[in-house]
Amino acid sequence: MDDTTQDHTPPRLVMISGPIASGKSTLAGELARLLRQEGCSVALTDLDTVAEMALPTLPSWEWAHGIHAQLVGAWLRTGADVVVDEGTSNPAEVRQVLDQVPEGTDVFHVVLTADLDASLARARADSGRGISQDPTFLRGDHEAYSRHLPHLPSSLRLHVEGREPAALAREVLARYRGQGSGPNL
């Protein structure tokens, strides 16, 4: 590993997993904002942004997942205080990211749950969304996620409905700190 940091604080990764339209991006953005307000250097990574780099000609989502995993690993090697990542929704995707994570990285897994109807409303309110606005597609994604849920690594599980993103981000931060992960996160 190329050691570009001034100290030897291990890299830290907050990994947010959830079904489509559960608020992963919103939570990740809010958490990154809170951390930056506290003076942390934060890299915010997400699968959709990686995929958008090649749309509409993206050959396969597997390509996007692989590049996303490599991007997370690369950011963890820069010396940034924290990488906040979102986009995984099953154990294989989580493993693919973790395979790129440097040894000694402190990983905190946030697993989101969401109601299908509320997720559909969020998806339909976002004009940038495509197929996730289709109720049949979204139902299939949420059902698949429910089957994967018991197998996802989880440091903290949050049900998002009825809660503001800022409150969810504060809870993630408090629980992460309570786990003894250091004063700067």
Side-chain angles (χ1 to χ4, degrees):
M1 180 171 93
D2 177 27
D3 186 9
T4 57
T5 61
Q6 295 299 321
D7 60 28
H8 296 293
T9 304
R12 292 176 286 185
L13 171 62
V14 177
M15 217 174 164
I16 302 171
S17 300
I20 292 174
S22 62
K24 296 181 302 290
S25 297
T26 304
L27 174 59
E30 184 62 22
L31 181 59
R33 186 188 69 75
L34 289 175
L35 289 164
R36 289 173 179 146
Q37 278 183 336
E38 294 181 357
C40 291
S41 61
V42 179
L44 177 57
T45 59
D46 72 275
L47 175 64
D48 288 344
T49 298
V50 169
E52 287 169 5
M53 293 175 183
L55 290 176
T57 60
L58 179 68
S60 147
W61 273 94
E62 285 75 28
W63 284 24
H65 282 285
I67 293 166
H68 167 248
Q70 292 171 27
L71 180 64
V72 172
W75 271 113
L76 286 165
R77 289 176 176 83
T78 66
D81 294 323
V82 185
V83 174
V84 176
D85 177 62
E86 65 90 0
T88 56
S89 61
N90 67 54
E93 293 169 3
V94 170
R95 268 191 310 278
Q96 188 172 23
V97 172
L98 293 178
D99 285 347
Q100 298 296 319
V101 169
E103 187 174 329
T105 299
D106 183 9
V107 182
F108 188 79
H109 295 274
V110 179
V111 175
L112 303 182
T113 60
D115 297 338
L116 176 61
D117 290 339
S119 294
L120 182 59
R122 278 189 291 276
R124 288 185 168 167
D126 182 349
S127 63
R129 288 194 180 261
I131 194 160
S132 62
Q133 293 181 334
D134 177 89
T136 302
F137 173 82
L138 194 61
R139 182 177 300 106
D141 175 77
H142 277 245
E143 288 172 356
Y145 181 76
S146 293
R147 288 189 301 274
H148 293 298
L149 189 57
H151 309 290
L152 285 169
S154 177
S155 308
L156 173 63
R157 186 180 292 191
L158 295 172
H159 188 70
V160 301
E161 307 310 344
R163 302 193 56 201
E164 292 297 317
L168 292 167
R170 286 190 302 273
E171 183 172 349
V172 170
L173 205 52
R175 293 288 294 274
Y176 188 90
R177 286 182 175 140
Q179 184 173 285
S181 297
N184 293 327
L185 179 69

